[in-house]
Amino acid sequence: VKLTVTHEDFPAGSKVFPMISEGWPSLLSSLKTLLETGTALPIA
Amino acid sequence: MNTASSYIYVTLISTTPEKLWAALTQPEFTRRYWFDTDIESDWKVGSPVDYRCGDGFTTDGVIKQCEPPSLLAYTFHDLTSEEASAEAPSLVTFKIEPLGSKRGPLVKLTVVHDKFPAASKVLPKVSGGWPLLLSSLKTLLETGAPIEIDFDAPCTK
């Protein structure tokens, strides 16, 4: 499957945007690994 | 209206920086997930890099930065059509950061593809291609087999 996640409509100068920009790649990478191998990524 | 002028992809892969570097730079590895493409270079700054597809080439470029196993950048000149060939080369940069711990090996791969000319025809094309091959790269490194993708890539025609 192809998963597209769109997170938008942030206010100008958003403090949340830089945070989620770091967070989404980590959890979506781990989600893919969990679905494909049965185990999540070893994120410390 | 989409005014983006660069493509950025960030993914975490359960592997080591050295294995990921090999997967990006060794043709016997790249052909397994890069739509049958052999990526060939001596990986020295200033050297050519060629995407070989059978007897032909789909992309060429010049190495700009090469610091194994953490940083690789080369120019990207798409040769798959007359329109693409006529366009000035862009730049693709791979950054590899180790995040491994006692819990296991882990790296963060950041791919930045930028320096496109205005109204680039290549940018929308690579924006569709990178997710496919980088997803397959992750799966290959973590499971030993790439994703089976029915994709109309230049090399598989």
Side-chain angles (χ1 to χ4, degrees):
Chain A
V1 299
K2 176 178 179 180
L3 169 66
T4 302
V5 179
T6 306
H7 194 160
E8 58 194 336
D9 290 345
F10 292 95
S14 169
K15 299 282 194 296
V16 175
F17 179 67
M19 273 172 52
I20 61 91
S21 297
E22 284 295 316
W24 280 120
S26 298
L27 74 86
L28 293 172
S29 293
S30 194
L31 169 63
K32 176 171 159 68
T33 301
L34 176 59
L35 286 169
E36 292 182 354
T37 71
T39 311
L41 283 177
I43 297 173
Chain B
M1 191 172 111
N2 184 2
T3 55
S5 58
S6 63
Y7 181 83
I8 301 173
Y9 190 99
V10 181
T11 188
L12 271 54
I13 306 175
S14 182
T15 188
T16 65
E18 291 76 16
K19 284 181 185 163
L20 178 52
W21 184 268
L24 293 170
T25 57
Q26 293 178 5
E28 57 271 28
F29 218 131
T30 61
R31 75 175 67 116
R32 297 189 66 195
Y33 69 89
W34 209 303
F35 316 129
D36 298 318
T37 302
D38 285 12
I39 300 186
E40 301 174 340
S41 177
D42 66 7
W43 305 110
K44 294 187 173 115
V45 172
S47 288
V49 54
D50 293 298
Y51 288 22
R52 176 189 291 278
C53 192
D55 294 330
F57 296 96
T58 58
T59 299
D60 64 14
V62 175
I63 312 286
K64 295 294 180 186
Q65 289 178 291
C66 188
E67 299 166 22
S70 21
L71 183 66
L72 176 65
Y74 53 80
T75 58
F76 185 100
H77 180 211
D78 186 331
L79 304 173
T80 53
S81 69
E82 228 168 89
E83 188 181 50
S85 301
E87 194 171 302
S90 48
L91 182 73
V92 59
T93 303
F94 302 87
K95 189 166 76 165
I96 298 169
E97 298 167 86
L99 297 177
S101 66
K102 280 180 295 194
R103 301 182 59 196
L106 188 66
V107 296
K108 179 180 181 179
L109 170 66
T110 303
V111 179
V112 178
H113 196 158
D114 60 2
K115 309 283 196 280
F116 291 95
S120 170
K121 298 286 194 300
V122 175
L123 172 58
K125 218 187 93 184
V126 302
S127 299
W130 283 120
L132 298 180
L133 72 87
L134 294 170
S135 293
S136 191
L137 166 65
K138 173 174 161 73
T139 300
L140 175 58
L141 284 166
E142 293 182 352
T143 71
I147 295 178
E148 297 296 333
I149 304 174
D150 189 11
F151 176 63
D152 190 20
C155 207
T156 52
K157 276 179 187 163

